[in-house]
Amino acid sequence: LRLITINANSFPSSIYESYNHIGTAVYASNQTTNKLASFSSSYSNYKTAIDLVNNLVTTSEFNNDTLSGFFRYVAAQKSPKRSDDRYRALIFNYCYINSTFVVEVADSLYRSKVTFNNCSFGQAASLFNMKADTIEFYNCSNIPYPLFLTSDPSKKVTYLQLVSSSVNNIRFDYTEKFKLYFDKDVTEETKNNTYQSLLAKYKAEGKPENLEKLDIEYKRYQYREHVYSWPLWLLDYVWWRYSYSKWLVIVWCLVFLGSFYLYNWTHWDQMQTLYAIYAKDKKGKTKTIEVDELPRKFVYVFVFTSFIFFSIRVDFDKLKYQDRKYLFVFFIQYLVGLICLFFLANAIFQI
């Protein structure tokens, strides 16, 4: 096994070399102040190890290359002198990749991005423990074999962009380690297609946790795109967290029921006269509960409130229409209760 060391100091602005030695380890140490190191070559179709230790070159680009065997990219542990030197990019354009990738970039020193543009992936390709801030796939439709992708455990979040790419064979768990994002020039149709493809993928794979996280992000994206839907966005989140926390419906039902109970307690004489649900006296008038009968009043007001709140229909023959204020309050209680019943039934049958 031969080791070829490339010192980029001897090149003006880019590197154009071809390494077609089977079993050759290519070690490129980019020590130049140039901002771009461009590799236009075929790095052996079989058992080639490529080791890039990138100190000062901010962008390393591969064009129309075939990469097989092992690929390792390292941003050396050296503090950049200027703020614009904190960026590291690794770009693959129209490449055939059949390598095991290792990307190591110090989070405290650099911001890093790995981009695959119109690339194809072979059976041996894998992206394990990618220590990069951003990973992008553009127009990568030729992924016939499972391509395993994992983020480095030490990283908090890796941003992932999937544009017009085949997501079915990109095997990754959409946990808190990953977050989907899109550039500003990506169309809304492309964004929707990506979300829907990933949702179908995780549903088919039977991964409810991945599905939940992605679906919540997709709903937030849909609400955020249209200002007029922001109130619905807030309501959908607060009410039951986009249907993924159905127990919140029970909490809200109890909150509304308790609020209406307090109102009916303080306006008991008017409310019990408005809608007569209790027995009438000999004169045909509804019996009233005196204030000094507190234990009974607790029960009567609770039954009265629950009767309105959980009713499917209103008996209009019992309803008095003279006082519009209390009539309005009555229908508010009834309609809110009807909505709560709908969501309770939805929660029960979908659990």
Side-chain angles (χ1 to χ4, degrees):
L1 181 68
R2 290 191 298 164
L3 175 65
I4 298 176
T5 302
I6 305 168
N7 192 329
N9 285 325
S10 59
F11 296 90
S13 61
S14 61
I15 301 172
Y16 296 95
E17 293 293 333
S18 179
Y19 306 100
N20 292 308
H21 309 283
I22 294 179
T24 297
V26 180
Y27 176 91
S29 178
N30 298 319
Q31 305 285 350
T32 181
T33 57
N34 298 318
K35 299 307 175 188
L36 172 65
S38 180
F39 300 85
S40 295
S41 57
S42 179
Y43 286 102
S44 178
N45 293 327
Y46 184 66
K47 294 183 179 178
T48 297
I50 303 173
D51 197 350
L52 295 178
V53 180
N54 193 338
N55 286 337
L56 295 177
V57 176
T58 57
T59 302
S60 299
E61 185 172 342
F62 292 78
N63 300 301
N64 297 294
D65 290 324
T66 297
L67 284 76
S68 300
F70 178 80
F71 183 97
R72 178 172 174 261
Y73 176 86
V74 180
Q77 302 290 330
K78 182 178 179 180
S79 299
K81 295 180 180 180
R82 301 191 305 270
S83 59
D84 57 348
D85 287 335
R86 294 183 180 275
Y87 180 76
R88 291 292 180 270
L90 188 60
I91 302 173
F92 299 90
N93 296 314
Y94 297 91
C95 294
Y96 175 74
I97 298 171
N98 199 30
S99 303
T100 298
F101 266 66
V102 175
V103 175
E104 300 176 6
V105 180
D107 290 342
S108 59
L109 301 179
Y110 303 105
R111 300 290 296 176
S112 56
K113 179 165 67 174
V114 180
T115 301
F116 301 100
N117 178 33
N118 287 280
C119 291
S120 301
F121 295 85
Q123 188 172 5
S126 62
L127 306 174
F128 286 117
N129 295 331
M130 296 286 284
K131 197 169 185 179
D133 296 290
T134 305
I135 302 173
E136 299 177 331
F137 293 84
Y138 291 100
N139 303 308
C140 297
S141 57
N142 188 11
I143 310 178
Y145 305 101
L147 176 64
F148 292 94
L149 169 65
T150 60
S151 176
D152 188 274
S154 64
K155 288 193 66 61
K156 292 183 178 180
V157 177
T158 297
Y159 289 90
L160 187 63
Q161 180 161 221
L162 301 168
V163 176
S164 302
S165 297
S166 176
V167 300
N168 290 333
N169 274 337
I170 302 179
R171 303 296 174 85
F172 69 101
D173 287 329
Y174 197 64
T175 62
E176 298 302 323
K177 291 288 184 179
F178 286 106
K179 184 172 180 59
L180 203 62
Y181 91 102
F182 298 97
D183 288 332
K184 293 181 179 180
D185 58 345
V186 178
T187 65
E188 185 173 350
E189 181 182 1
T190 301
K191 294 176 184 178
N192 287 326
N193 288 339
T194 299
Y195 274 115
Q196 291 168 11
S197 297
L198 285 172
L199 289 171
K201 162 188 166 68
Y202 289 125
K203 186 175 182 180
E205 292 177 357
K207 295 181 177 180
E209 293 181 358
N210 293 254
L211 187 65
E212 176 181 337
K213 181 177 181 294
L214 184 67
D215 189 31
I216 288 175
E217 286 188 15
Y218 184 36
K219 288 178 178 177
R220 286 176 175 171
Y221 158 73
Q222 289 177 308
Y223 283 128
R224 189 170 58 247
E225 290 298 300
H226 306 287
V227 178
Y228 61 83
S229 65
W230 286 4
L232 293 177
W233 175 9
L234 180 62
L235 180 62
D236 197 10
Y237 174 72
V238 173
W239 181 254
W240 60 350
R241 194 174 156 267
Y242 309 107
S243 79
Y244 287 101
S245 296
K246 293 182 173 63
W247 57 271
L248 284 173
V249 176
I250 300 176
V251 173
W252 282 113
C253 286
L254 294 176
V255 168
F256 283 118
L257 185 63
S259 300
F260 295 150
Y261 175 85
L262 292 176
Y263 182 88
N264 293 340
W265 174 278
T266 55
H267 301 83
W268 175 235
D269 291 338
Q270 294 87 349
M271 293 303 294
Q272 67 172 328
T273 303
L274 177 74
Y275 194 57
I277 66 170
Y278 294 114
K280 297 182 179 181
D281 57 20
K282 295 180 180 179
K283 296 181 180 180
K285 295 183 178 181
T286 304
K287 292 182 179 180
T288 58
I289 310 300
E290 301 298 333
V291 177
D292 57 351
E293 302 178 65
L294 288 181
R296 291 185 62 198
K297 185 175 180 179
F298 276 117
V299 176
Y300 272 64
V301 175
F302 179 77
V303 172
F304 177 84
T305 305
S306 300
F307 187 85
I308 297 174
F309 193 77
F310 294 111
S311 290
I312 302 297
R313 56 180 294 274
V314 175
D315 188 348
F316 290 95
D317 293 335
K318 296 181 179 180
L319 198 59
K320 301 294 188 297
Y321 297 92
Q322 290 80 4
D323 196 328
R324 294 184 179 181
K325 171 187 174 182
Y326 294 106
L327 188 66
F328 176 77
V329 173
F330 170 84
F331 278 108
I332 288 293
Q333 295 185 26
Y334 168 71
L335 291 175
V336 170
L338 205 61
I339 293 171
C340 287
L341 282 176
F342 170 79
F343 281 98
L344 282 173
N346 182 279
I348 292 172
F349 288 113
Q350 290 189 6
I351 289 178

